[in-house]
Amino acid sequence: MSDAAPPDFPLDPAALLGKLARLGPVLAAADTLTQLQAATADALHSGLGATSAAILPEADLAETGPLTLILALRARRSMGALRVTFGAPRVLSGSEQLFLDSLVPQLCAALERLDLDGPHAGQPGEGTEVWEHNEALDAFTQFTALAATTRDVPALARRAVQVLQTTLGNVSVAYYEREDKLWKAHVWSNDISAEVVAAIRAGVPLDAPSFAGASDLEAPLFVSDWNAQIEQIEETRDYGAVAFYPYRLADTPPGLLVIGTQAGHQWTAREQRVFRAVGRSLGLALERASQAWVLAERTEALDAFVRFSEGSALSSDLGELAQQAFSVLETFFPGCTCSLHERRAEAQTGPPEPRWEIEYYTHNISIELAEIVLAGLPLDTPLFAAALKSGEADFVDDWFSQVPGSNEPFRTTGVYPILIGGEIRAFLSVWLKISGTWQARDRAIVRAVGRSLNLALERAAATEELRRQRTELLARTQALEAFASLTRDLTLQAEEVTLVHRAQEVALSLLPQGCALYYRPQGALWRLISQIGSLNAPALQAAIDAGLPYETTLNLLVPWQTRQPYYQAQYDRSTDNLEELTDKIGATAALPVLVAGQPVGVFVVALFGHRTWTPADRSSLEAVVGSLSLAKEGARSVLALRARSAELERSNSELEQFAYVASHDLQEPLRTVTSFAQLLVGKYRGQLDPKADVYLGMISDGTARMSRLLQDLLTFSRVATSAQPMQVVPTGDVVAAVLSDLQDQLNRTGASVSVLALPCVWGDTTQLRQLFQNLIGNALKFTASGRAPEVRLSAERDGSHWRFSLSDNGIGIAPAFFERIFTIFQRLHSREEYEGSGIGLAITRKIVERHGGEIWLDSQPGQGTTFYFTLPDAPQETR
């Protein structure tokens, strides 16, 4: 058989006739059975889409399966059958059936030709046996012709009855199915008497010996000595021999094909062969019909799911979705009653235990049953118990035992649990007035509709949750925006009452008419700090103004101690022991105001009517109070920062004043000491002993060094006290002037200085000149031995500033001293190694910081140092 994929089936009738015309010569030319097999298989594959085809002897027919079609073949000396197998259950079209009907005679002719031409041609055969085989195959062929075109079980059974009577002659035939605890006849031949028909229709006990034996054996059973009394069917006493062919198929009630003859005799090989052939063909047809029904059931379930899904995708309304589900179910189960029960949670006032309450139902329910289900069913109602436990659909066959007291003519019920968020929230119920068991098709339909309804309700629940979150977020955002607009400048004022007052205004703007109050505990009382709105109760207002008891005012104490909001939809007058004063108060909300995790007050809103606090209400209030907490915390931080800044400013001012006084006022006594020291040196040098000369020299050096330190200290203090106004400073010109001042030092050290293009900055020209002079001077001072100094200065933009870098190839600085070198009078080397007082870099940092910049360095000992500092760019309008 070809491996190529077959085309879509069924083919056009003209195409099939063309294939049949081309096949005839091929079959006629076949010389061997193998060639005949191959030609037939290719034709059936390309014409009908068969997956395989084979010509078999009759003995091999037991190997057939549910997707197989059997066609009898009878030649003069040989018998067999054509087995055709399909990949899926199929019902042949009229043109396809005609194709097979025309193919069979051609195959029979080809087989007869092969017999006549074979090695046994002309030899006498077992004529009787051949005719018996032919007769069985003929019966088999008659039956399979119908079986390929129908899925109706009664029709198949009637055809089996007809074929058996036609083939075997004087036999009676009946087809039974198991119902409850009986074998009941559904189809029977016309020769059976009315008395017997009545008996077999009423049912044969399951334990009737021959019936039970055939069913248990699951193989044909031939009884030659029938005993009606033993079989518990007195009406069949005229029968002498009976044969049974059992059927046991998935999703189909067990069945029995039974034949009987009134003449008591042994069943002949011919009769057994014919009965087996017809029984086997009926079994294959039943199995094929069962497969087709399963496929049809799945298709119908899918169609139901599609129809409902298309409708439910357009709505999120529970009532509309339920009615759509009912409409689909009524299409499949005419006259059914449908309902949707929801689980009702406990109300805020403490109702009885939750129950299953019917929300939507079809209107063909009786008043009596409506009274039962409308009152609500207990959570452990047997109707829902199994589905509630398993979380899956449950189908009940005995309605009366499920709802005691109901006289409703319903016999079977199916319930499908609706799960939302992993919890069973509702049940879809289908009630039928027919008795019997739920079939697979019916279960599949209920499940499909229930699943689609579940998906739709989940989508509706998700939509509602998103809407609720959106509303809550909008309310919170509005509250935050309103509070932010009111408190934008309050952190600078840092006044607690003003912050609270504005928070109260925002809270009341989001709620119905009411009053907002803010309390803080003082000793044994709650003191009112701020209030917006009137309580409309002078006596209550007087009590609040006087202070409420700390321990017994629970509306304030609970949120203070738990640090959680305390909401009352209807204010309980006993909460604060103010029963006679609070008759006009409706809903209340009390929220703690926390700063650094600790309560500092209680924010209360009192409304004049009942109000269920919605998630949006709670979010709004909690957002306002949360913002108030942050604002109060920020205000405290502002106050602390202000105090700290004032303290630092005072300390810095005192230090600068001290440095100025010390460096200025100490100059006069130092000059006196220096002058007299110089007089002593001039008058007595060489006239005293050598030690005196050394002492005088040390006095002179010390006073000179002291003078330099005082001058440096004065310079350091003047960075803040004698600063000049900021202006545009071309740093290139400033650096050029500094290099001119340092020309002698440059010549002496042989240094090279590379200066790239430098920008204009916003600064103090005098201080910037000192800045560059200190840094370049240090680069020329701290040089490595045997290496001429190299200095490089550049700048690049860094946002609103310019970042300068000045690098050298000097001795470098260890990372441990990066911060120390900026401390006043801190030196890393002795005066004998390098001159200076150790104040130059401290002045440099002070200048940079006064300009709003930063200074830092990167250095490798022995390789050099790079100083980085930032200065503000000159404003555009000043250039």
Side-chain angles (χ1 to χ4, degrees):
M1 186 177 292
S2 171
D3 292 332
D8 294 333
F9 296 98
L11 295 180
D12 181 79
L16 279 175
L17 289 176
K19 284 184 177 293
L20 189 63
R22 291 190 295 273
L23 179 62
V26 176
L27 298 179
D31 295 328
T32 65
L33 182 61
T34 302
Q35 293 178 357
L36 192 64
Q37 292 258 30
T40 303
D42 285 339
L44 290 171
H45 175 67
S46 60
L48 301 184
T51 57
S52 67
I55 299 174
L56 304 172
E58 191 268 344
D60 291 338
L61 296 184
E63 301 176 5
T64 59
L67 307 180
T68 302
L69 181 65
I70 303 297
L71 301 172
L73 303 175
R74 183 174 61 188
R76 178 177 301 177
R77 296 181 54 82
S78 60
M79 297 167 295
L82 175 63
R83 184 179 67 188
V84 186
T85 303
F86 297 92
R90 288 199 55 197
V91 176
L92 299 180
S93 66
S95 58
E96 289 175 325
Q97 184 63 52
L98 178 62
F99 180 87
L100 287 175
D101 290 343
S102 303
L103 174 62
V104 168
Q106 294 188 52
L107 284 175
C108 290
L111 287 173
E112 187 169 339
R113 178 176 54 77
L114 291 176
D115 281 344
L116 292 174
D117 294 339
H120 300 288
Q123 296 181 7
E126 297 291 336
T128 302
E129 182 180 351
V130 168
W131 281 111
E132 288 177 357
H133 277 287
N134 289 347
E135 195 173 28
L137 288 174
D138 185 53
F140 187 85
T141 301
Q142 293 180 51
F143 183 81
T144 54
L146 173 69
T149 60
T150 184
R151 295 178 302 175
D152 184 39
V153 173
L156 292 170
R158 282 192 294 271
R159 182 58 173 165
V161 169
Q162 179 184 356
V163 170
L164 285 170
Q165 282 204 303
T166 301
T167 306
L168 297 181
N170 189 25
V171 295
S172 300
V173 188
Y175 176 76
Y176 294 79
E177 281 188 359
R178 179 175 173 174
E179 294 183 15
D180 296 329
K181 298 181 180 181
L182 296 172
W183 290 103
K184 292 186 176 181
H186 283 232
V187 177
W188 51 88
S189 56
N190 294 330
D191 64 319
I192 300 177
S193 67
E195 180 186 20
V196 175
V197 168
I200 61 178
R201 287 189 63 185
V204 177
L206 288 183
D207 58 355
S210 297
F211 284 80
S215 178
D216 294 341
L217 185 63
E218 297 187 4
L221 176 66
F222 295 89
V223 180
S224 298
D225 51 349
W226 176 259
N227 188 319
Q229 184 176 4
I230 294 177
E231 301 294 339
Q232 306 175 46
I233 319 173
E234 283 292 335
E235 292 80 3
T236 62
R237 56 187 173 274
D238 293 336
Y239 288 91
V242 179
F244 300 84
Y245 198 106
Y247 304 99
R248 190 180 299 274
L249 305 173
D251 298 317
T252 302
L256 284 173
L257 179 64
V258 183
I259 62 173
T261 175
Q262 295 183 0
H265 71 291
Q266 294 291 327
W267 291 103
T268 66
R270 165 185 173 272
E271 292 169 332
Q272 293 185 35
R273 186 177 293 111
V274 170
F275 184 57
R276 282 195 177 96
V278 175
R280 181 166 50 250
S281 186
L282 176 60
L284 294 173
L286 291 175
E287 193 164 355
R288 193 160 48 242
S290 175
Q291 293 287 339
W293 274 115
V294 170
L295 181 62
E297 289 163 3
R298 292 176 181 173
T299 303
E300 290 181 7
L302 181 61
D303 289 343
F305 180 80
V306 170
R307 285 197 300 272
F308 182 65
S309 296
E310 290 175 349
S312 62
L314 303 177
S315 174
S316 60
D317 178 74
L318 178 59
E320 186 175 347
L321 291 171
Q323 293 303 328
Q324 290 177 1
F326 297 164
S327 177
V328 173
L329 291 171
E330 287 175 322
T331 301
F332 286 98
F333 308 109
C336 71
T337 296
C338 306
S339 65
L340 184 70
H341 287 78
E342 274 195 296
R343 176 172 178 163
R344 285 301 180 193
E346 296 185 20
Q348 294 182 351
T349 56
E353 63 179 89
R355 300 171 69 81
W356 296 109
E357 293 188 6
I358 193 168
E359 289 296 314
Y360 304 97
Y361 54 92
T362 51
H363 295 290
N364 56 356
I365 189 172
S366 69
I367 297 177
E368 178 187 16
L369 184 57
E371 290 177 350
I372 297 175
V373 296
L374 287 175
L377 301 175
L379 292 185
D380 58 353
T381 296
L383 178 65
F384 302 138
L388 187 63
K389 182 178 180 181
S390 66
E392 298 180 354
D394 182 52
F395 297 89
V396 182
D397 296 326
D398 187 358
W399 166 256
F400 289 103
S401 66
Q402 299 297 314
V403 181
S406 170
N407 294 321
E408 193 73 20
F410 294 113
R411 296 294 181 267
T412 56
T413 304
V415 293
Y416 187 94
I418 304 297
L419 284 85
I420 299 178
E423 179 185 0
I424 296 179
R425 301 274 294 277
F427 279 105
L428 172 66
S429 302
V430 186
W431 305 343
L432 307 179
K433 296 182 179 181
I434 59 174
S435 61
T437 58
W438 282 90
Q439 299 301 314
R441 166 186 172 274
D442 302 330
R443 295 170 185 252
I445 291 171
V446 174
R447 286 192 179 100
V449 175
R451 189 180 305 112
S452 187
L453 176 61
N454 204 146
L455 292 174
L457 292 179
E458 281 185 332
R459 185 174 60 251
T463 301
E464 176 61 23
E465 177 63 17
L466 288 175
R467 187 198 64 77
R468 186 194 65 77
Q469 292 179 358
R470 191 180 301 111
T471 302
E472 183 177 333
L473 180 61
L474 179 61
R476 185 183 292 269
T477 302
Q478 290 175 342
L480 290 174
E481 289 177 348
F483 190 76
S485 65
L486 290 172
T487 60
R488 187 168 291 117
D489 300 322
L490 289 184
T491 53
L492 299 179
Q493 302 174 15
E495 296 179 2
E496 180 184 22
V497 175
T498 305
L499 288 171
V500 172
H501 193 82
R502 293 201 174 179
Q504 291 171 325
E505 290 177 344
V506 172
L508 290 180
S509 70
L510 302 172
L511 296 169
Q513 185 178 7
C515 178
L517 308 98
Y518 180 75
Y519 297 88
R520 195 165 54 204
Q522 293 181 1
L525 297 175
W526 290 98
R527 293 293 186 183
L528 181 64
I529 306 300
S530 176
Q531 178 176 339
I532 296 292
S534 173
L535 291 169
N536 299 327
L540 176 60
Q541 187 68 59
I544 291 175
D545 292 340
L548 299 174
Y550 177 83
E551 294 291 342
T552 59
T553 309
L554 299 182
N555 208 32
L556 304 177
L557 187 62
V558 168
W560 177 269
Q561 292 182 339
T562 63
R563 293 170 172 73
Q564 297 295 325
Y566 181 45
Y567 295 96
Q568 292 191 75
Q570 178 61 53
Y571 175 70
D572 184 353
R573 298 182 183 180
S574 64
T575 302
D576 302 319
N577 297 318
L578 299 171
E579 291 88 347
E580 68 280 3
L581 304 178
T582 56
D583 57 331
K584 294 184 178 180
I585 302 300
T588 62
L591 300 92
V593 179
L594 306 176
V595 174
Q598 299 299 317
V600 296
V602 179
F603 189 99
V604 178
V605 173
L607 305 181
F608 298 134
H610 177 278
R611 183 178 182 84
T612 300
W613 296 101
T614 66
D617 293 337
R618 297 177 184 232
S619 293
S620 299
L621 285 175
E622 289 165 17
V624 169
V625 174
S627 297
L628 174 60
S629 296
L630 292 175
K632 288 173 69 66
E633 192 165 347
R636 289 192 175 187
S637 299
V638 169
L639 290 175
L641 183 60
R642 284 179 181 175
R644 180 63 177 164
S645 298
E647 178 64 21
L648 288 175
E649 289 178 2
R650 183 189 61 78
S651 178
N652 287 339
S653 177
E654 290 178 352
L655 287 173
E656 289 172 356
Q657 186 65 26
F658 171 76
Y660 180 80
V661 170
S663 59
H664 184 273
D665 294 352
L666 289 178
Q667 290 287 347
E668 183 60 31
L670 182 60
R671 280 194 292 268
T672 301
V673 174
T674 302
S675 297
F676 281 100
Q678 289 173 351
L679 289 174
L680 286 173
V681 171
K683 185 173 182 178
Y684 296 106
R685 181 184 295 276
Q687 299 180 21
L688 302 175
D689 59 65
K691 288 187 177 181
D693 290 342
V694 173
Y695 295 157
L696 290 174
M698 292 178 66
I699 292 173
S700 297
D701 291 342
T703 55
R705 190 166 61 255
M706 184 65 178
S707 178
R708 286 195 302 272
L709 288 174
L710 290 175
Q711 288 295 334
D712 289 341
L713 186 58
L714 184 61
T715 301
F716 182 80
S717 67
R718 283 176 175 171
V719 172
T721 59
S722 301
Q724 300 298 315
M726 297 289 185
Q727 60 182 345
V728 177
V729 180
T731 56
D733 296 345
V734 172
V735 171
V738 169
L739 293 177
S740 178
D741 293 342
L742 298 173
Q743 190 60 48
D744 289 343
Q745 191 175 357
L746 291 172
N747 294 335
R748 187 173 63 255
T749 59
S752 63
V753 180
S754 173
V755 180
L756 302 183
L758 299 178
C760 291
V761 299
W762 188 248
D764 182 333
T765 304
T766 302
Q767 291 187 351
L768 293 182
R769 181 167 180 166
Q770 187 172 7
L771 166 67
F772 285 107
Q773 183 160 338
N774 287 352
L775 292 175
I776 297 174
N778 280 351
L780 299 177
K781 181 196 302 184
F782 297 98
T783 59
S785 177
R787 189 164 59 200
E790 295 179 0
V791 182
R792 185 177 185 275
L793 178 62
S794 63
E796 61 181 23
R797 181 175 291 280
D798 186 6
S800 60
H801 285 64
W802 288 94
R803 184 173 70 250
F804 292 80
S805 64
L806 190 147
S807 59
D808 62 50
N809 63 342
I811 62 175
I813 304 171
F817 304 117
F818 281 3
E819 187 62 29
R820 178 180 172 185
I821 61 174
F822 291 108
T823 305
I824 189 171
F825 297 136
Q826 290 294 316
R827 297 174 55 88
L828 301 183
H829 308 278
S830 66
R831 295 183 182 89
E832 288 74 15
E833 292 180 287
Y834 299 99
E835 63 180 6
S837 60
I839 200 173
L841 288 178
I843 293 174
T844 299
R845 169 180 273 184
K846 196 170 184 67
I847 291 173
V848 170
E849 290 178 347
R850 189 225 163 195
H851 284 73
E854 296 178 291
I855 185 169
W856 68 97
L857 73 149
D858 185 20
S859 181
Q860 291 291 331
Q863 297 182 17
T865 302
T866 299
F867 281 91
Y868 300 94
F869 57 94
T870 57
L871 296 173
D873 188 15
Q876 189 70 30
E877 61 273 11
T878 63
R879 298 179 185 178

